[in-house]
Amino acid sequence: MRDNIRGSVVVFIVIGALSAGASLRAQGDPLIGHWMLSVAKSKYEGAPAPKSEMRVYEAFGGAGKGIKGTFDRVDGAGKKITITYAAMYDGKDYKYNGPDADTIALARPNANTLDATLKRGGKVVQTTHSVISADGKTRTQMATGTDAEGHKFTITAVFEKQTTS
C-alpha cells in the first residue's frame, strides 16, 4: 500500500513538473499572448484598414511546435469578424477559419519571426512576415496578397503586446 502511494506521488510530481515546464516555455515565447493592432502606426495599401483588431496567440501541439490564433476584428465598415486557426510550424497547410483564406501554413525561423502563407482553394492569396521587437513589446507584420476580388494589397500592421492580469 505504501509503495502504491509513493508511486502515485512520484507520478503526480512528474506530471506537475512537466506541465509547469511547458507552461514556463510558453510564457517565454515572445509570440504568446494578447496583441492589439495600432491602427495609427499601421499602413494599408489596396485594402481598407480595420477599426480594431485583437489577436490572441496560444501554444499548440507542444511548446514551440505550433500556435493557435484567435483574431477579433472590427472591419472598416464596423462588421465584427472572428478568425481562428491552429497550426504547427512545419510549413504544411492547416484549416484557417476566416474570410481571407481557408488554409494557413506557418514557419518559425527563430523565436521573434513568424512567416505565414494563406491559401484559398489551394491558391496563395497572402504571404506574411512578422517580426517581434527585441523588447517583445511590438510585432510588425508585413503582408502582401490579393483579396477575393483580385485586388492586390500591401499591409504593414503594427501590434502592441498587451499585459494581462
Side-chain angles (χ1 to χ4, degrees), residues 103-159:
T103 65
I104 188 168
L106 300 177
R108 189 107 183 252
N110 61 59
N112 286 33
T113 306
L114 179 67
D115 293 322
T117 302
L118 280 72
K119 296 179 185 174
R120 187 182 310 110
K123 181 181 174 189
V124 174
V125 293
Q126 180 177 321
T127 58
T128 303
H129 178 74
S130 300
V131 177
I132 299 170
S133 62
D135 66 6
K137 294 179 180 178
T138 305
R139 180 172 172 265
T140 304
Q141 176 176 300
M142 290 78 54
T144 58
T146 307
D147 67 17
E149 290 79 40
H151 303 110
K152 293 184 186 244
F153 63 84
T154 302
I155 299 169
T156 301
V158 178
F159 292 86

Side-chain angles (χ1 to χ4, degrees), residues 2 9 26 28 41 52 54-55 69 80 104 113 119 125 148 162:
R2 197 172 237 165
V9 169
K41 294 178 182 177
S52 68
M54 171 63 82
R55 293 186 173 200
K80 292 181 181 181
I104 188 168
T113 306
K119 296 179 185 174
V125 293
Q162 306 299 293

